[in-house]
Amino acid sequence: MPTSDDWYTGNKLEVRALRRRALAEAVIAARTQLGLSQSELARRAGLSRSAVVKLETGESGFGVDRLWDLAAALGVRPSALLAAAEADEEALATLGLDNQ
């Protein structure tokens, strides 16, 4: 069952936004590198264009199934999108890991 945004307050909302932004930027970079429009990515991934827009703006999160569908549509492994998101130092810091 999805968790309500009401549960997230203060810092948790900021962390969620940072993580969503980092992953959204990874998808945008992969999409633009392929020269795909949001509509074409949506078609290839079996999503609506509005779903892609929400993902790319951080308005919506990525579920595991959606991540796999997007990766397949972009011709990359899901781990490649996550690795690109991890390259965002601010997002990576939200994990609270020491230099890992």
Side-chain angles (χ1 to χ4, degrees):
M1 169 186 261
T3 304
S4 168
D5 280 345
D6 294 339
W7 185 83
Y8 293 97
T9 58
N11 188 45
K12 291 180 182 180
L13 284 174
E14 291 173 25
V15 165
R16 185 181 231 198
L18 281 170
R19 291 173 179 172
R20 284 181 176 187
R21 178 189 46 79
L23 196 50
E25 288 175 2
V27 170
I28 292 167
R31 178 178 61 76
T32 55
Q33 184 176 9
L34 291 174
L36 298 178
S37 66
Q38 290 174 328
S39 296
E40 180 60 17
L41 175 58
R43 187 190 66 73
R44 290 182 180 195
L47 302 171
S48 67
R49 181 181 173 277
S50 64
V52 170
V53 169
K54 287 180 180 180
L55 291 169
E56 289 189 355
T57 60
E59 188 179 330
S60 177
F62 289 72
V64 172
D65 293 332
R66 184 170 285 170
L67 178 63
W68 279 82
D69 291 341
L70 286 167
L74 294 166
V76 299
R77 293 175 184 229
S79 59
L81 293 174
L82 292 172
E86 286 179 16
D88 183 308
E89 293 295 327
E90 196 174 15
L92 185 60
T94 67
L95 296 174
L97 306 174
D98 295 325
N99 299 321
Q100 292 184 11

